[in-house]
mmCIF file of all heavy atoms in Angstrom:
data_model
loop_
_atom_site.group_PDB
_atom_site.id
_atom_site.type_symbol
_atom_site.label_atom_id
_atom_site.label_comp_id
_atom_site.label_asym_id
_atom_site.label_seq_id
_atom_site.Cartn_x
_atom_site.Cartn_y
_atom_site.Cartn_z
ATOM 1 N N SER A 127 102.411 99.833 88.668
ATOM 2 C CA SER A 127 102.033 98.619 89.397
ATOM 3 C C SER A 127 102.761 98.604 90.739
ATOM 4 O O SER A 127 103.994 98.693 90.790
ATOM 5 C CB SER A 127 102.378 97.369 88.589
ATOM 6 O OG SER A 127 101.644 97.331 87.391
ATOM 7 N N ALA A 128 101.995 98.520 91.814
ATOM 8 C CA ALA A 128 102.545 98.576 93.178
ATOM 9 C C ALA A 128 101.387 98.437 94.157
ATOM 10 O O ALA A 128 100.222 98.330 93.747
ATOM 11 C CB ALA A 128 103.281 99.902 93.412
ATOM 12 N N VAL A 129 101.723 98.468 95.432
ATOM 13 C CA VAL A 129 100.688 98.571 96.455
ATOM 14 C C VAL A 129 100.622 100.021 96.912
ATOM 15 O O VAL A 129 101.662 100.633 97.186
ATOM 16 C CB VAL A 129 100.984 97.650 97.657
ATOM 17 C CG1 VAL A 129 99.905 97.819 98.745
ATOM 18 C CG2 VAL A 129 101.049 96.195 97.211
ATOM 19 N N TYR A 130 99.432 100.560 96.966
ATOM 20 C CA TYR A 130 99.223 101.953 97.372
ATOM 21 C C TYR A 130 98.514 101.984 98.715
ATOM 22 O O TYR A 130 97.521 101.272 98.942
ATOM 23 C CB TYR A 130 98.388 102.687 96.312
ATOM 24 C CG TYR A 130 99.134 102.895 95.017
ATOM 25 C CD1 TYR A 130 99.220 101.861 94.081
ATOM 26 C CD2 TYR A 130 99.780 104.091 94.738
ATOM 27 C CE1 TYR A 130 99.934 102.031 92.901
ATOM 28 C CE2 TYR A 130 100.488 104.270 93.547
ATOM 29 C CZ TYR A 130 100.559 103.234 92.645
ATOM 30 O OH TYR A 130 101.272 103.405 91.474
ATOM 31 N N PHE A 131 99.028 102.817 99.601
ATOM 32 C CA PHE A 131 98.443 102.976 100.928
ATOM 33 C C PHE A 131 97.973 104.407 101.118
ATOM 34 O O PHE A 131 98.697 105.352 100.814
ATOM 35 C CB PHE A 131 99.468 102.683 102.029
ATOM 36 C CG PHE A 131 99.930 101.258 102.093
ATOM 37 C CD1 PHE A 131 101.072 100.842 101.434
ATOM 38 C CD2 PHE A 131 99.218 100.320 102.843
ATOM 39 C CE1 PHE A 131 101.518 99.534 101.501
ATOM 40 C CE2 PHE A 131 99.645 99.000 102.914
ATOM 41 C CZ PHE A 131 100.797 98.608 102.232
ATOM 42 N N CYS A 132 96.778 104.554 101.648
ATOM 43 C CA CYS A 132 96.346 105.873 102.101
ATOM 44 C C CYS A 132 96.551 105.965 103.610
ATOM 45 O O CYS A 132 96.736 104.944 104.286
ATOM 46 C CB CYS A 132 94.875 106.115 101.774
ATOM 47 S SG CYS A 132 93.729 104.986 102.591
ATOM 48 N N ALA A 133 96.559 107.164 104.127
ATOM 49 C CA ALA A 133 96.739 107.354 105.567
ATOM 50 C C ALA A 133 96.085 108.661 105.983
ATOM 51 O O ALA A 133 95.785 109.516 105.143
ATOM 52 C CB ALA A 133 98.226 107.360 105.939
ATOM 53 N N ALA A 134 95.839 108.789 107.271
ATOM 54 C CA ALA A 134 95.235 110.011 107.798
ATOM 55 C C ALA A 134 95.777 110.299 109.181
ATOM 56 O O ALA A 134 96.048 109.380 109.964
ATOM 57 C CB ALA A 134 93.705 109.843 107.870
ATOM 58 N N LYS A 135 95.930 111.578 109.469
ATOM 59 C CA LYS A 135 96.359 111.958 110.804
ATOM 60 C C LYS A 135 96.011 113.425 111.063
ATOM 61 O O LYS A 135 95.675 114.186 110.171
ATOM 62 C CB LYS A 135 97.848 111.757 111.008
ATOM 63 C CG LYS A 135 98.747 112.764 110.315
ATOM 64 C CD LYS A 135 100.170 112.672 110.880
ATOM 65 C CE LYS A 135 101.058 113.766 110.318
ATOM 66 N NZ LYS A 135 102.354 113.842 111.015
ATOM 67 N N LEU A 136 96.147 113.789 112.318
ATOM 68 C CA LEU A 136 96.048 115.171 112.726
ATOM 69 C C LEU A 136 97.466 115.730 112.673
ATOM 70 O O LEU A 136 98.395 115.139 113.230
ATOM 71 C CB LEU A 136 95.487 115.231 114.147
ATOM 72 C CG LEU A 136 95.191 116.589 114.759
ATOM 73 C CD1 LEU A 136 94.147 117.326 113.922
ATOM 74 C CD2 LEU A 136 94.680 116.413 116.186
ATOM 75 N N LEU A 137 97.649 116.859 112.002
ATOM 76 C CA LEU A 137 98.999 117.377 111.742
ATOM 77 C C LEU A 137 99.812 117.603 113.016
ATOM 78 O O LEU A 137 101.005 117.343 113.043
ATOM 79 C CB LEU A 137 98.919 118.674 110.955
ATOM 80 C CG LEU A 137 98.981 118.526 109.432
ATOM 81 C CD1 LEU A 137 98.754 119.869 108.777
ATOM 82 C CD2 LEU A 137 100.288 117.926 108.993
ATOM 83 N N ILE A 138 99.176 118.053 114.082
ATOM 84 C CA ILE A 138 99.954 118.327 115.292
ATOM 85 C C ILE A 138 100.265 117.059 116.052
ATOM 86 O O ILE A 138 101.019 117.063 117.000
ATOM 87 C CB ILE A 138 99.222 119.310 116.219
ATOM 88 C CG1 ILE A 138 97.867 118.723 116.674
ATOM 89 C CG2 ILE A 138 99.018 120.648 115.540
ATOM 90 C CD1 ILE A 138 97.223 119.535 117.774
ATOM 91 N N ASN A 139 99.662 115.965 115.626
ATOM 92 C CA ASN A 139 99.852 114.682 116.288
ATOM 93 C C ASN A 139 100.529 113.757 115.294
ATOM 94 O O ASN A 139 100.068 113.620 114.174
ATOM 95 C CB ASN A 139 98.489 114.133 116.696
ATOM 96 C CG ASN A 139 98.574 112.765 117.325
ATOM 97 O OD1 ASN A 139 99.625 112.159 117.373
ATOM 98 N ND2 ASN A 139 97.454 112.274 117.808
ATOM 99 N N ASN A 140 101.618 113.124 115.663
ATOM 100 C CA ASN A 140 102.346 112.324 114.684
ATOM 101 C C ASN A 140 101.852 110.903 114.539
ATOM 102 O O ASN A 140 102.458 110.114 113.841
ATOM 103 C CB ASN A 140 103.828 112.338 115.032
ATOM 104 C CG ASN A 140 104.534 113.469 114.307
ATOM 105 O OD1 ASN A 140 104.096 113.904 113.264
ATOM 106 N ND2 ASN A 140 105.606 113.957 114.878
ATOM 107 N N ASP A 141 100.767 110.567 115.182
ATOM 108 C CA ASP A 141 100.227 109.224 115.088
ATOM 109 C C ASP A 141 99.409 109.070 113.823
ATOM 110 O O ASP A 141 98.298 109.590 113.741
ATOM 111 C CB ASP A 141 99.385 108.962 116.333
ATOM 112 C CG ASP A 141 98.755 107.600 116.318
ATOM 113 O OD1 ASP A 141 99.126 106.761 115.491
ATOM 114 O OD2 ASP A 141 97.884 107.365 117.179
ATOM 115 N N MET A 142 99.935 108.395 112.810
ATOM 116 C CA MET A 142 99.249 108.255 111.526
ATOM 117 C C MET A 142 98.778 106.823 111.347
ATOM 118 O O MET A 142 99.516 105.878 111.627
ATOM 119 C CB MET A 142 100.172 108.646 110.395
ATOM 120 C CG MET A 142 99.492 108.713 109.033
ATOM 121 S SD MET A 142 100.350 109.847 107.924
ATOM 122 C CE MET A 142 101.869 108.966 107.628
ATOM 123 N N ARG A 143 97.546 106.685 110.840
ATOM 124 C CA ARG A 143 96.988 105.353 110.607
ATOM 125 C C ARG A 143 96.878 105.105 109.116
ATOM 126 O O ARG A 143 96.454 105.975 108.350
ATOM 127 C CB ARG A 143 95.586 105.246 111.245
ATOM 128 C CG ARG A 143 95.620 105.499 112.747
ATOM 129 C CD ARG A 143 96.361 104.414 113.495
ATOM 130 N NE ARG A 143 96.661 104.819 114.861
ATOM 131 C CZ ARG A 143 97.102 104.003 115.808
ATOM 132 N NH1 ARG A 143 97.267 102.709 115.533
ATOM 133 N NH2 ARG A 143 97.362 104.461 117.009
ATOM 134 N N PHE A 144 97.240 103.891 108.709
ATOM 135 C CA PHE A 144 97.245 103.530 107.307
ATOM 136 C C PHE A 144 96.049 102.669 106.941
ATOM 137 O O PHE A 144 95.555 101.887 107.763
ATOM 138 C CB PHE A 144 98.522 102.747 106.973
ATOM 139 C CG PHE A 144 99.760 103.592 106.909
ATOM 140 C CD1 PHE A 144 100.453 103.911 108.056
ATOM 141 C CD2 PHE A 144 100.224 104.082 105.702
ATOM 142 C CE1 PHE A 144 101.598 104.705 108.005
ATOM 143 C CE2 PHE A 144 101.362 104.868 105.625
ATOM 144 C CZ PHE A 144 102.045 105.187 106.775
ATOM 145 N N GLY A 145 95.618 102.799 105.697
ATOM 146 C CA GLY A 145 94.669 101.853 105.153
ATOM 147 C C GLY A 145 95.348 100.528 104.898
ATOM 148 O O GLY A 145 96.577 100.409 105.016
ATOM 149 N N ALA A 146 94.566 99.532 104.507
ATOM 150 C CA ALA A 146 95.083 98.169 104.327
ATOM 151 C C ALA A 146 95.859 98.003 103.025
ATOM 152 O O ALA A 146 96.523 96.985 102.842
ATOM 153 C CB ALA A 146 93.941 97.175 104.390
ATOM 154 N N GLY A 147 95.775 98.975 102.136
ATOM 155 C CA GLY A 147 96.536 98.903 100.896
ATOM 156 C C GLY A 147 95.707 98.411 99.727
ATOM 157 O O GLY A 147 94.741 97.645 99.888
ATOM 158 N N THR A 148 96.089 98.859 98.532
ATOM 159 C CA THR A 148 95.474 98.419 97.278
ATOM 160 C C THR A 148 96.577 97.957 96.349
ATOM 161 O O THR A 148 97.513 98.723 96.065
ATOM 162 C CB THR A 148 94.697 99.562 96.602
ATOM 163 O OG1 THR A 148 93.619 99.965 97.429
ATOM 164 C CG2 THR A 148 94.188 99.134 95.228
ATOM 165 N N ARG A 149 96.479 96.718 95.897
ATOM 166 C CA ARG A 149 97.465 96.201 94.952
ATOM 167 C C ARG A 149 96.995 96.547 93.545
ATOM 168 O O ARG A 149 96.009 95.986 93.056
ATOM 169 C CB ARG A 149 97.643 94.709 95.109
ATOM 170 C CG ARG A 149 98.712 94.120 94.194
ATOM 171 C CD ARG A 149 98.971 92.648 94.497
ATOM 172 N NE ARG A 149 99.456 92.444 95.852
ATOM 173 C CZ ARG A 149 100.714 92.613 96.234
ATOM 174 N NH1 ARG A 149 101.630 93.010 95.370
ATOM 175 N NH2 ARG A 149 101.065 92.408 97.496
ATOM 176 N N LEU A 150 97.694 97.466 92.905
ATOM 177 C CA LEU A 150 97.357 97.900 91.546
ATOM 178 C C LEU A 150 98.253 97.169 90.555
ATOM 179 O O LEU A 150 99.480 97.170 90.688
ATOM 180 C CB LEU A 150 97.547 99.413 91.395
ATOM 181 C CG LEU A 150 97.400 99.967 89.990
ATOM 182 C CD1 LEU A 150 95.969 99.789 89.467
ATOM 183 C CD2 LEU A 150 97.803 101.443 89.932
ATOM 184 N N THR A 151 97.610 96.568 89.561
ATOM 185 C CA THR A 151 98.334 95.917 88.471
ATOM 186 C C THR A 151 97.943 96.607 87.179
ATOM 187 O O THR A 151 96.742 96.712 86.857
ATOM 188 C CB THR A 151 97.997 94.436 88.383
ATOM 189 O OG1 THR A 151 98.301 93.802 89.639
ATOM 190 C CG2 THR A 151 98.796 93.753 87.272
ATOM 191 N N VAL A 152 98.921 97.075 86.445
ATOM 192 C CA VAL A 152 98.685 97.708 85.145
ATOM 193 C C VAL A 152 99.180 96.754 84.068
ATOM 194 O O VAL A 152 100.382 96.459 83.984
ATOM 195 C CB VAL A 152 99.394 99.060 85.039
ATOM 196 C CG1 VAL A 152 99.113 99.686 83.678
ATOM 197 C CG2 VAL A 152 98.952 99.996 86.164
ATOM 198 N N LYS A 153 98.269 96.277 83.271
ATOM 199 C CA LYS A 153 98.603 95.283 82.236
ATOM 200 C C LYS A 153 99.041 95.993 80.955
ATOM 201 O O LYS A 153 98.330 96.877 80.481
ATOM 202 C CB LYS A 153 97.402 94.412 81.949
ATOM 203 C CG LYS A 153 96.910 93.614 83.140
ATOM 204 C CD LYS A 153 95.670 92.825 82.766
ATOM 205 C CE LYS A 153 95.093 92.101 83.959
ATOM 206 N NZ LYS A 153 93.821 91.432 83.638
#
Side-chain angles (χ1 to χ4, degrees):
Chain A
S127 297
V129 178
Y130 291 81
F131 293 94
C132 63
K135 74 165 186 170
L136 185 60
L137 268 174
I138 61 170
N139 177 354
N140 268 333
D141 179 12
M142 188 154 69
R143 301 293 166 168
F144 286 84
T148 296
R149 183 174 299 279
L150 173 65
T151 303
V152 180
K153 298 177 184 175

